[in-house]
Amino acid sequence: MRIVLFHGYGSNGADLRALAPFAECPDGPLSLDWGGRAWFSLGFGNDGPLWSEAEVRDAARPWIDRVEGAVIGGFSQGGAMVHALLAMGAKPSAAIVMSGFPALADALPPLDGLPVLVTHGRRDPVVPFRAAEELTARLRAAGATVETSFDAAEHTVSANHLEAIMIFLADPRGTASAEE
């Protein structure tokens, strides 16, 4: 199983390699002043992250063909990359969005039962929980088979989320949603 994981804003691929040492964990193309990496510019307002859809498209475009048949996943901004890739027609075998958000206003193309796991903490102060609800609704409306792992965590991959991810990766078509 090939897995490609996209990191969050200010992080890098090495952070996600700790979750899955066998996965491809590329670094975003943007270098931030303090040494972190990003997929696209990001600001923060009272209602959560702010971004340019044009930059998101530019960041996702080179990955559309490269993720075909792979399990794709991402944390925070990396989760937004997963949404963008799906919206732009990428054809992964499954997807995992951890504390992510819908990056493009576009409707998703038909996802024909694509297995997707969405994890998010209800107390996330960076990406509000409503982003997970919106993303889940969009994915389901497009025909994805969406499983969820929501808990009381903040902006992190909690132990509950990690367990859900491991179960999902073992059998993407046979998982069950968990809320705690």
Coordinates of all heavy atoms in Angstrom, one line a residue, residues 118-175:
V118 N -12.3 11.0 8.3 CA -12.1 12.4 8.8 C -12.0 12.4 10.3 O -12.8 11.8 11.0 CB -13.3 13.3 8.4 CG1 -13.2 14.7 9.0 CG2 -13.5 13.3 6.9
T119 N -10.8 12.9 10.8 CA -10.6 13.0 12.3 C -10.5 14.5 12.6 O -10.0 15.3 11.9 CB -9.3 12.3 12.7 OG1 -8.2 13.0 12.3 CG2 -9.3 10.8 12.2
H120 N -11.0 14.8 13.8 CA -11.0 16.2 14.2 C -11.3 16.3 15.7 O -12.2 15.5 16.2 CB -12.0 17.0 13.4 CG -11.6 18.5 13.3 ND1 -11.2 18.9 12.1 CD2 -11.6 19.5 14.1 CE1 -10.9 20.2 12.2 NE2 -11.2 20.6 13.4
G121 N -10.8 17.2 16.4 CA -11.1 17.4 17.8 C -12.1 18.5 17.9 O -12.0 19.6 17.3
R122 N -13.1 18.3 18.8 CA -14.2 19.3 19.0 C -13.6 20.6 19.6 O -14.3 21.7 19.5 CB -15.3 18.7 19.9 CG -16.1 17.8 19.1 CD -17.4 17.5 20.0 NE -18.3 16.7 19.2 CZ -18.2 15.4 18.9 NH1 -17.2 14.8 19.3 NH2 -19.1 14.8 18.1
R123 N -12.5 20.6 20.3 CA -11.9 21.8 20.9 C -10.8 22.4 20.1 O -10.0 23.1 20.7 CB -11.5 21.4 22.4 CG -12.7 21.2 23.3 CD -12.2 21.1 24.7 NE -12.3 19.7 25.1 CZ -12.0 19.2 26.3 NH1 -11.4 20.0 27.1 NH2 -12.1 18.0 26.6
D124 N -10.7 22.1 18.9 CA -9.6 22.6 18.0 C -9.7 24.1 17.9 O -10.7 24.7 17.4 CB -9.7 22.0 16.6 CG -8.5 22.3 15.8 OD1 -7.9 23.3 15.9 OD2 -8.3 21.5 14.9
P125 N -8.7 24.9 18.5 CA -8.8 26.3 18.4 C -8.2 26.9 17.1 O -8.3 28.1 16.8 CB -7.9 26.8 19.6 CG -6.9 25.7 19.7 CD -7.6 24.4 19.3
V126 N -7.6 26.0 16.3 CA -6.9 26.5 15.0 C -7.9 26.3 13.8 O -8.1 27.2 13.1 CB -5.6 25.7 14.8 CG1 -4.9 26.2 13.5 CG2 -4.7 25.9 16.0
V127 N -8.4 25.1 13.7 CA -9.3 24.8 12.6 C -10.6 24.4 13.3 O -10.7 23.3 13.9 CB -8.9 23.7 11.7 CG1 -9.9 23.3 10.6 CG2 -7.5 24.0 11.0
P128 N -11.6 25.3 13.4 CA -12.8 25.0 14.1 C -13.5 23.7 13.7 O -13.4 23.3 12.5 CB -13.7 26.2 13.8 CG -12.8 27.3 13.4 CD -11.6 26.6 12.7
F129 N -14.1 23.0 14.6 CA -14.8 21.7 14.4 C -15.8 21.8 13.3 O -16.0 20.8 12.5 CB -15.4 21.2 15.7 CG -16.1 19.9 15.5 CD1 -15.3 18.7 15.3 CD2 -17.5 19.8 15.5 CE1 -15.9 17.5 15.1 CE2 -18.1 18.5 15.3 CZ -17.3 17.4 15.2
R130 N -16.4 22.9 13.1 CA -17.4 23.0 12.0 C -16.8 22.8 10.7 O -17.5 22.4 9.7 CB -18.2 24.4 12.1 CG -17.3 25.6 11.7 CD -18.2 26.9 11.8 NE -17.3 28.0 11.7 CZ -16.6 28.6 12.6 NH1 -16.6 28.0 13.9 NH2 -15.8 29.6 12.4
A131 N -15.5 23.0 10.5 CA -14.8 22.7 9.2 C -14.9 21.2 9.0 O -15.1 20.7 7.8 CB -13.4 23.1 9.3
A132 N -14.8 20.4 10.0 CA -14.9 18.9 9.8 C -16.3 18.5 9.5 O -16.5 17.6 8.6 CB -14.5 18.2 11.1
E133 N -17.3 19.2 10.1 CA -18.7 18.9 9.7 C -19.0 19.3 8.3 O -19.6 18.5 7.6 CB -19.6 19.6 10.7 CG -19.5 19.2 12.1 CD -20.3 20.0 13.1 OE1 -20.2 21.3 13.0 OE2 -21.0 19.5 13.9
E134 N -18.5 20.4 7.8 CA -18.7 20.8 6.5 C -18.0 19.9 5.5 O -18.6 19.5 4.5 CB -18.2 22.3 6.2 CG -18.4 22.8 4.8 CD -17.8 24.1 4.6 OE1 -17.5 24.9 5.5 OE2 -17.6 24.5 3.4
L135 N -16.8 19.6 5.8 CA -16.0 18.7 4.9 C -16.7 17.3 4.8 O -16.8 16.7 3.7 CB -14.6 18.5 5.5 CG -13.6 17.6 4.6 CD1 -13.4 18.2 3.2 CD2 -12.3 17.5 5.4
T136 N -17.1 16.8 6.0 CA -17.8 15.5 6.0 C -19.0 15.5 5.1 O -19.3 14.6 4.3 CB -18.1 15.0 7.4 OG1 -16.9 14.9 8.2 CG2 -18.8 13.7 7.5
A137 N -19.8 16.6 5.3 CA -21.1 16.7 4.5 C -20.7 16.8 3.0 O -21.4 16.1 2.2 CB -21.8 17.9 4.9
R138 N -19.7 17.5 2.6 CA -19.4 17.6 1.2 C -18.9 16.3 0.6 O -19.3 15.9 -0.5 CB -18.2 18.7 1.0 CG -18.6 20.1 1.1 CD -17.5 21.0 0.8 NE -17.7 22.3 1.0 CZ -16.9 23.3 0.5 NH1 -15.9 23.0 -0.3 NH2 -17.2 24.6 0.7
L139 N -18.1 15.6 1.4 CA -17.6 14.3 0.9 C -18.7 13.3 0.7 O -18.8 12.6 -0.3 CB -16.6 13.7 1.9 CG -15.2 14.5 2.0 CD1 -14.5 14.1 3.2 CD2 -14.4 14.1 0.7
R140 N -19.6 13.3 1.7 CA -20.8 12.4 1.6 C -21.7 12.7 0.4 O -22.2 11.9 -0.3 CB -21.6 12.3 2.9 CG -20.8 11.6 4.0 CD -21.6 11.4 5.3 NE -20.9 10.5 6.2 CZ -20.9 10.7 7.5 NH1 -21.5 11.7 8.1 NH2 -20.2 9.8 8.2
A141 N -21.9 14.0 0.2 CA -22.7 14.5 -0.9 C -22.1 14.1 -2.2 O -22.9 13.8 -3.2 CB -22.9 16.0 -0.8
A142 N -20.8 13.9 -2.3 CA -20.1 13.5 -3.5 C -20.1 12.0 -3.7 O -19.5 11.5 -4.7 CB -18.7 14.1 -3.6
G143 N -20.6 11.3 -2.7 CA -20.6 9.8 -2.8 C -19.5 9.1 -2.1 O -19.4 7.9 -2.3
A144 N -18.7 9.8 -1.4 CA -17.6 9.1 -0.6 C -18.2 8.3 0.5 O -19.3 8.6 1.0 CB -16.6 10.1 -0.1
T145 N -17.5 7.2 0.9 CA -17.9 6.5 2.1 C -17.1 7.0 3.2 O -15.9 6.8 3.3 CB -17.6 5.0 1.9 OG1 -18.4 4.5 0.8 CG2 -18.0 4.2 3.1
V146 N -17.7 7.9 4.0 CA -16.9 8.7 5.0 C -17.1 8.0 6.4 O -18.2 7.8 6.9 CB -17.4 10.1 5.1 CG1 -16.6 10.9 6.1 CG2 -17.3 10.8 3.7
E147 N -16.0 7.8 7.0 CA -15.9 7.4 8.4 C -15.3 8.6 9.2 O -14.6 9.4 8.7 CB -15.0 6.2 8.6 CG -15.4 5.0 7.7 CD -16.8 4.4 8.0 OE1 -17.2 4.6 9.2 OE2 -17.3 3.8 7.1
T148 N -15.7 8.7 10.5 CA -15.2 9.8 11.3 C -14.7 9.3 12.6 O -15.1 8.3 13.1 CB -16.4 10.8 11.6 OG1 -17.4 10.1 12.3 CG2 -16.9 11.4 10.3
S149 N -13.8 10.1 13.1 CA -13.3 9.9 14.5 C -13.2 11.3 15.1 O -12.3 12.1 14.8 CB -11.9 9.3 14.5 OG -11.4 9.2 15.8
F150 N -14.2 11.7 15.9 CA -14.3 13.0 16.5 C -14.2 12.8 18.0 O -14.8 11.9 18.6 CB -15.6 13.7 16.2 CG -15.9 13.9 14.7 CD1 -17.1 13.9 14.2 CD2 -14.8 14.2 13.8 CE1 -17.4 14.1 12.8 CE2 -15.0 14.4 12.5 CZ -16.3 14.4 12.0
D151 N -13.4 13.7 18.7 CA -13.3 13.6 20.1 C -13.1 15.0 20.7 O -13.3 15.9 20.0 CB -12.2 12.6 20.5 CG -10.8 13.0 20.1 OD1 -10.6 14.2 19.6 OD2 -9.9 12.2 20.1
A152 N -12.7 15.0 22.0 CA -12.6 16.3 22.6 C -11.2 16.9 22.5 O -10.9 17.9 23.1 CB -12.9 16.1 24.1
A153 N -10.4 16.4 21.6 CA -9.0 16.9 21.4 C -9.0 18.3 20.8 O -10.0 18.9 20.3 CB -8.3 16.0 20.5
E154 N -7.8 18.9 21.0 CA -7.6 20.2 20.3 C -7.0 20.0 19.0 O -7.4 19.0 18.3 CB -6.7 21.1 21.3 CG -7.4 21.4 22.5 CD -6.7 22.5 23.4 OE1 -5.6 22.9 23.0 OE2 -7.3 22.8 24.4
H155 N -6.0 20.8 18.5 CA -5.4 20.7 17.2 C -4.3 19.7 17.2 O -3.1 20.1 17.3 CB -5.0 22.1 16.7 CG -4.7 22.2 15.2 ND1 -5.7 22.0 14.3 CD2 -3.6 22.4 14.6 CE1 -5.2 22.1 13.1 NE2 -3.9 22.4 13.2
T156 N -4.6 18.4 17.1 CA -3.6 17.4 17.2 C -4.2 16.1 16.6 O -5.3 16.0 16.3 CB -3.3 17.1 18.7 OG1 -2.2 16.3 18.8 CG2 -4.4 16.6 19.5
V157 N -3.3 15.1 16.5 CA -3.7 13.7 16.2 C -3.7 13.0 17.5 O -2.7 12.7 18.0 CB -2.7 13.1 15.2 CG1 -3.2 11.6 14.9 CG2 -2.6 13.8 13.9
S158 N -4.9 12.9 18.1 CA -5.1 12.3 19.4 C -4.9 10.8 19.3 O -4.8 10.2 18.2 CB -6.5 12.6 19.9 OG -7.5 11.8 19.2
A159 N -4.8 10.1 20.5 CA -4.7 8.7 20.5 C -5.9 8.0 19.9 O -5.7 7.0 19.2 CB -4.5 8.2 22.0
N160 N -7.1 8.6 20.1 CA -8.3 8.1 19.5 C -8.2 8.2 17.9 O -8.6 7.2 17.2 CB -9.5 8.8 19.9 CG -9.8 8.6 21.4 OD1 -9.6 7.5 21.9 ND2 -10.4 9.6 22.0
H161 N -7.7 9.3 17.5 CA -7.5 9.5 16.0 C -6.5 8.5 15.4 O -6.7 7.9 14.4 CB -7.1 10.9 15.7 CG -8.1 11.9 16.1 ND1 -7.8 13.2 16.2 CD2 -9.4 11.8 16.5 CE1 -8.8 13.9 16.7 NE2 -9.8 13.1 16.8
L162 N -5.4 8.3 16.1 CA -4.4 7.4 15.7 C -4.9 6.0 15.6 O -4.6 5.3 14.6 CB -3.2 7.5 16.6 CG -1.9 6.7 16.1 CD1 -1.5 7.2 14.8 CD2 -0.8 7.0 17.1
E163 N -5.7 5.6 16.6 CA -6.3 4.2 16.5 C -7.2 4.1 15.3 O -7.2 3.1 14.6 CB -7.0 4.0 17.8 CG -7.6 2.6 17.9 CD -8.4 2.3 19.2 OE1 -8.5 3.2 20.0 OE2 -8.8 1.1 19.3
A164 N -8.0 5.1 15.1 CA -9.0 5.1 14.0 C -8.2 5.0 12.6 O -8.6 4.3 11.7 CB -9.9 6.3 14.0
I165 N -7.1 5.7 12.6 CA -6.2 5.7 11.4 C -5.7 4.3 11.1 O -5.7 3.8 10.0 CB -5.1 6.8 11.4 CG1 -5.8 8.2 11.4 CG2 -4.1 6.6 10.3 CD1 -4.8 9.3 11.8
M166 N -5.2 3.7 12.2 CA -4.6 2.4 12.0 C -5.6 1.4 11.6 O -5.4 0.5 10.7 CB -3.9 1.9 13.3 CG -2.7 2.7 13.7 SD -1.4 2.7 12.5 CE -1.2 4.4 12.1
I167 N -6.8 1.4 12.1 CA -7.9 0.5 11.7 C -8.3 0.8 10.3 O -8.5 -0.1 9.5 CB -9.1 0.7 12.7 CG1 -8.8 0.2 14.1 CG2 -10.3 0.0 12.1 CD1 -9.8 0.5 15.2
F168 N -8.4 2.1 9.9 CA -8.8 2.5 8.6 C -7.7 2.0 7.6 O -8.1 1.4 6.5 CB -8.9 4.0 8.5 CG -9.3 4.5 7.1 CD1 -10.6 4.5 6.7 CD2 -8.3 5.0 6.3 CE1 -11.0 5.0 5.5 CE2 -8.7 5.5 5.0 CZ -10.0 5.5 4.6
L169 N -6.4 2.1 7.9 CA -5.4 1.7 6.9 C -5.4 0.2 6.8 O -5.0 -0.4 5.7 CB -4.0 2.2 7.4 CG -3.8 3.7 7.2 CD1 -2.5 4.1 7.8 CD2 -3.8 4.1 5.7
A170 N -5.8 -0.6 7.9 CA -5.8 -2.0 7.8 C -6.9 -2.5 6.8 O -6.7 -3.5 6.2 CB -6.0 -2.6 9.2
D171 N -8.0 -1.7 6.7 CA -9.1 -2.1 5.9 C -10.0 -0.9 5.6 O -11.0 -0.7 6.2 CB -10.0 -3.2 6.6 CG -11.1 -3.7 5.7 OD1 -11.2 -3.4 4.5 OD2 -12.0 -4.4 6.3
P172 N -9.6 0.0 4.6 CA -10.3 1.2 4.4 C -11.8 1.0 4.0 O -12.5 1.9 4.3 CB -9.5 1.8 3.1 CG -8.2 1.2 3.2 CD -8.4 -0.2 3.8
R173 N -12.2 -0.1 3.6 CA -13.6 -0.3 3.2 C -14.4 -0.9 4.3 O -15.6 -1.1 4.2 CB -13.7 -1.1 1.9 CG -13.0 -0.4 0.8 CD -13.6 -0.8 -0.5 NE -12.9 -0.1 -1.6 CZ -13.4 1.0 -2.1 NH1 -14.5 1.6 -1.7 NH2 -12.7 1.6 -3.1
G174 N -13.8 -1.2 5.5 CA -14.5 -1.9 6.6 C -14.5 -1.2 7.9 O -14.7 -1.8 8.9
T175 N -14.2 0.1 7.9 CA -14.1 0.8 9.2 C -15.5 1.2 9.7 O -16.5 1.2 9.0 CB -13.2 2.0 9.1 OG1 -13.7 2.9 8.1 CG2 -11.8 1.6 8.8

